């Protein structure tokens, strides 16, 4: 019998970093972190071989896959002391993609899977926090409807903005449990209006819907474009990672964040990243809220008045610094990390080699030789020859007069000029006419990959140094300013003020 599913968690794993081709980058590294004894929520990986089968057999699955997934899910329940779909011992899961090569944000993710009208009450009871439970349920409805059911996320954002405005709330975190219940009712009504069927309540139906959506996302236009730009073969496929949920939105002792073990723009050996208290992972990378600095040094440098993780959560921060150093030494490369803190307890959700500029790649390679992590020969191979033209990036003449219209975060270095455009399609059209453009968005999403490729530079009014725009721009070698909060973009009017 072919083994389609590999488990990890509870201090052991069926795979390792060497199984990248079969388990994808994320799955292989989750298994490796488990083997290193790091705190990783239990889960399992459905292999890239299933993705190949899926497309070769009319988007169907191998006959014995369902049985193997059920057994793996049972084991996750045993490790966590919970059971999927059981309100008495509630287990919720995340479903994420994981290709052999890193493709940040290009494929689909679903969090909080397993929530329905019954289990949300169990989550409220178990956590002692009804507001958190209903916030998690509305996030799940919004994400699942967008990713799996094809109901655009804009519908839900519009409903939420209207509800906040009616109640005089500025932030999502201002809504009470009762107010979230009203939002949920409106979300479900919108799904039924759009599809003619109610939002699915069966956890098994939800799970297989999400697994299918991740495999299908391998062939979305944005993923195809990204593969073309980065020379990633189509037949590699993606794995699917199903993992027990840990929650960063459980109040003021919970948080979520993204970090690099070194600065991905300059290569400087300093922990670089951002986090948000009382939030889930997509809040950081989507740039929905502008995040806080990890270190006190970075907070002072940024002139932020919001507390750093170092100050707000000193114990979790100390544990994270130790793990970050351990992972960089283990992989002998700069790492891009995702983590969640649930009620003071740190959990690692991902490690991978971080995207970096050519300038950073050079510095990191040279420094790692000096630190005894790499040989000189290995260091030379770490720098992509094609990326060296980034070192010739234009910069603004320091003596030139500047009429500053806004200030944001230096997400990716360089300088660019061009006409302002507000949509990726328009950026691509104007590029075809040999016109230079700057893509201006409130925040970028994976759907903007073609516009970012066509633009000379990117400006966003929301998001931080680890947002989607920042990570993708650095990988492309394009200048990017993110989180320019003093500027206002009006898509309908076509204005930036």
């Amino acid at each position: 019998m072919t083994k389609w599913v590999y488990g990890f968690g509870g201090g052991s794993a069926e795979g390792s970093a060497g199984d990248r081709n079969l388990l994808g980058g994320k799955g292989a590294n989750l298994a490796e972190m488990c083997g290193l004894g790091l705190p990783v929520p239990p889960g399992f990986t459905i292999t890239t071989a299933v993705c190949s089968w899926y497309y070769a057999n009319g988007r169907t699955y191998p006959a014995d896959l369902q049985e193997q997934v059920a057994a793996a899910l049972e084991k996750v329940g045993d490790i966590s002391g919970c059971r999927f779909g059981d309100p008495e011992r509630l287990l919720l899961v995340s479903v994420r993609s994981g290709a052999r090569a890193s493709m940040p944000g290009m494929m689909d993710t679903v969090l909080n899977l397993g929530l329905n009208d019954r289990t949300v009450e169990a989550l409220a009871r178990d956590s002692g926090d009804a507001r958190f439970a209903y916030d998690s349920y509305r996030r799940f409805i919004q994400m699942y409807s967008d990713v799996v059911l094809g109901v655009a996320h804009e519908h839900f954002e519009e409903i939420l903005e209207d509800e906040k405005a009616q109640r005089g709330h500025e932030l999502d975190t201002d809504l009470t449990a009762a107010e979230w219940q009203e939002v949920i009712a409106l979300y479900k009504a919108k799904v039924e209006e759009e599809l003619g069927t109610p939002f699915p309540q069966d956890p098994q139906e939800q799970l297989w819907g999400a697994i299918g959506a991740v495999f299908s996302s391998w062939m979305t236009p944005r993923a195809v474009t990204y593969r073309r730009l980065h020379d990633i073969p189509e037949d590699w496929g993606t794995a699917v990672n199903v993992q027990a949920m840990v929650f960063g939105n459980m109040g003021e002792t919970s948080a979520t964040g993204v970090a690099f073990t070194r600065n991905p723009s300059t290569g400087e050996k300093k922990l670089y990243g951002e986090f948000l208290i009382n939030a889930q992972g997509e809040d950081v990378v989507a740039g929905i809220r502008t995040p806080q600095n990890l270190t006190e040094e970075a907070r002072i440098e940024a002139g932020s008045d919001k507390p750093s993780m170092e100050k707000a959560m000193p114990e979790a921060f100390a544990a994270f610094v130790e793990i970050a150093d351990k992972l960089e030494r283990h992989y002998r490369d700069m790492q891009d990390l995702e983590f969640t803190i649930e009620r003071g307890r740190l959990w690692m959700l991902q490690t991978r080699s971080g995207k970096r500029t050519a300038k950073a790649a050079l510095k990191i390679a040279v420094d790692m030789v000096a630190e005894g992590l790499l040989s000189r020969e290995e260091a030379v191979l770490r720098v992509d020859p094609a990326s060296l033209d980034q070192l010739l990036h234009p910069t603004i003449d320091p003596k030139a007069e500047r009429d500053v219209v806004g200030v944001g975060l230096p997400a990716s270095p360089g300088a660019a000029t061009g006409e302002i455009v507000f949509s990726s399609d328009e950026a691509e059209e104007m590029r075809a006419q040999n016109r230079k453009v700057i893509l201006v968005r409130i925040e970028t999403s994976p759907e903007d990959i073609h516009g970012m490729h066509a633009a000379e530079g990117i400006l966003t009014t929301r998001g931080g140094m680890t947002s989607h725009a920042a990570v993708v721009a650095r990988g492309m070698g394009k200048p990017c300013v993110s989180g320019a909060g003093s500027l206002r973009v009006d898509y309908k009017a076509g204005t930036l003020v």
Side-chain angles (χ1 to χ4, degrees):
M1 184 175 79
T2 304
K3 186 171 175 62
W4 305 109
V5 177
Y6 288 69
F8 57 84
S12 66
E14 293 180 314
S16 69
D19 297 314
R20 182 181 198 89
N21 292 1
L22 184 66
L23 302 180
K26 189 188 290 279
N29 287 332
L30 285 168
E32 188 78 3
M33 286 197 290
C34 278
L36 291 170
L38 301 183
V40 174
F44 58 88
T45 300
I46 303 172
T47 68
T48 56
V50 176
C51 188
S52 301
W53 174 288
Y54 181 77
Y55 284 107
N57 294 274
R59 301 199 176 209
T60 60
Y61 300 114
D64 50 351
L65 179 65
Q66 198 155 356
E67 184 186 328
Q68 291 188 31
V69 166
L73 203 50
E74 189 86 9
K75 190 168 182 189
V76 172
D78 292 342
I79 294 169
S80 61
C82 303
R83 197 155 304 285
F84 186 63
D86 182 353
E88 297 310 309
R89 294 187 295 154
L90 184 61
L91 171 67
L92 301 176
V93 298
S94 63
V95 180
R96 292 180 168 96
S97 64
R100 195 189 302 188
S102 175
M103 295 173 61
M106 290 303 121
M107 287 179 295
D108 290 327
T109 293
V110 179
L111 305 180
N112 309 325
L113 192 141
L115 279 175
N116 58 28
D117 294 347
R118 280 185 69 215
T119 55
V120 69
E121 293 172 11
L123 185 61
R125 178 199 67 218
D126 294 348
S127 65
D129 186 345
R131 192 212 153 275
F132 149 73
Y134 287 103
D135 174 37
S136 298
Y137 190 21
R138 71 89 190 175
R139 287 170 181 269
F140 172 56
I141 294 171
Q142 181 169 345
M143 194 177 267
Y144 192 91
S145 298
D146 180 32
V147 167
V148 182
L149 304 178
V151 181
H153 62 90
E154 288 87 0
H155 289 304
F156 304 104
E157 284 163 15
E158 204 171 289
I159 289 168
L160 181 53
E161 290 305 316
D162 287 349
E163 289 298 300
K164 285 196 296 191
Q166 282 177 31
R167 290 171 168 77
H169 295 323
E170 190 177 333
L171 302 171
D172 295 0
T173 47
D174 295 334
L175 273 77
T176 65
E179 288 169 339
W180 277 129
Q181 284 176 277
E182 290 176 35
V183 170
I184 286 164
L186 292 169
Y187 277 14
K188 285 161 64 183
K190 173 54 76 174
V191 171
E192 192 152 1
E193 177 194 323
E194 292 290 317
L195 302 178
T197 55
F199 185 81
Q201 295 289 306
D202 176 9
Q204 287 293 336
E205 181 188 343
Q206 294 173 359
L207 176 62
W208 285 98
I211 290 169
V214 171
F215 282 134
S216 295
S217 70
W218 179 248
M219 295 302 290
T220 57
R222 65 177 186 253
V224 170
T225 299
Y226 191 91
R227 287 202 297 275
R228 177 171 52 78
L229 297 177
H230 293 271
D231 296 320
I232 298 170
E234 185 180 295
D235 60 7
W236 280 5
T238 182
V240 176
N241 299 288
V242 179
Q243 198 171 11
M245 278 297 300
V246 287
F247 295 97
N249 60 327
M250 262 191 174
E252 296 303 303
T253 59
S254 301
T256 189
V258 177
F260 294 82
T261 54
R262 303 190 187 213
N263 187 312
S265 288
T266 66
E268 192 177 7
K269 192 181 179 181
K270 282 182 181 174
L271 193 61
Y272 172 103
E274 297 161 326
F275 84 117
L276 277 171
I277 291 173
N278 196 15
Q280 287 199 318
E282 78 270 17
D283 297 341
V284 179
V285 293
I288 294 164
R289 284 162 58 189
T290 297
Q292 295 157 238
N293 301 100
L294 287 183
T295 65
E296 194 59 12
E297 184 184 346
R299 182 196 70 77
I300 293 164
E301 203 175 289
S304 171
D305 58 356
K306 293 180 179 176
S308 66
M309 181 176 160
E310 188 175 357
K311 272 285 167 68
M313 298 178 163
E315 287 178 17
F317 178 78
F320 179 71
V321 169
E322 191 178 321
I323 287 171
D325 187 54
K326 183 173 186 174
L327 285 169
E328 183 177 272
R329 290 191 163 277
H330 179 74
Y331 283 99
R332 301 186 310 132
D333 197 7
M334 183 260 275
Q335 295 296 291
D336 170 358
L337 310 168
E338 289 180 19
F339 64 92
T340 285
I341 299 160
E342 181 182 281
R343 291 184 166 169
R345 185 175 180 188
L346 174 67
W347 293 94
M348 297 304 297
L349 304 182
Q350 174 167 283
T351 188
R352 60 186 175 194
S353 290
K355 300 277 182 197
R356 67 205 73 178
T357 62
K359 179 182 176 184
L362 270 176
K363 178 165 176 55
I364 290 167
V366 169
D367 287 354
M368 283 189 168
V369 171
E371 292 163 29
L373 289 175
L374 296 178
S375 69
R376 294 173 79 112
E377 291 73 21
E378 286 172 318
V380 169
L381 295 174
R382 287 287 174 88
V383 182
D384 175 13
S387 71
L388 291 175
D389 72 323
Q390 283 184 31
L391 297 175
L392 306 174
H393 271 186
T395 55
I396 296 170
D397 184 344
K399 297 172 190 167
E401 277 190 41
R402 303 178 190 206
D403 184 7
V404 177
V405 294
V407 176
L409 300 168
S412 184
T417 59
E419 300 172 59
I420 290 173
V421 294
F422 297 104
S423 85
S424 289
D425 290 344
E426 191 181 358
E428 199 169 49
E429 286 165 17
M430 290 176 72
R431 167 74 181 270
Q433 298 164 22
N434 292 321
R435 291 161 70 182
K436 293 185 175 183
V437 297
I438 304 291
L439 178 63
V440 178
R441 303 284 292 161
I442 295 171
E443 69 227 7
T444 65
S445 76
E447 276 76 17
D448 290 310
I449 184 76
H450 59 297
M452 295 175 77
H453 179 63
E456 301 295 308
I458 298 109
L459 168 66
T460 69
T461 59
R462 284 191 203 151
M465 307 281 271
T466 55
S467 66
H468 175 265
V471 172
V472 173
R474 278 195 295 270
M476 289 181 169
K478 305 228 175 211
C480 174
V481 174
S482 61
S486 62
L487 301 174
R488 290 286 171 271
V489 171
D490 184 332
Y491 290 141
K492 283 183 182 170
T495 58
L496 171 69
V497 290

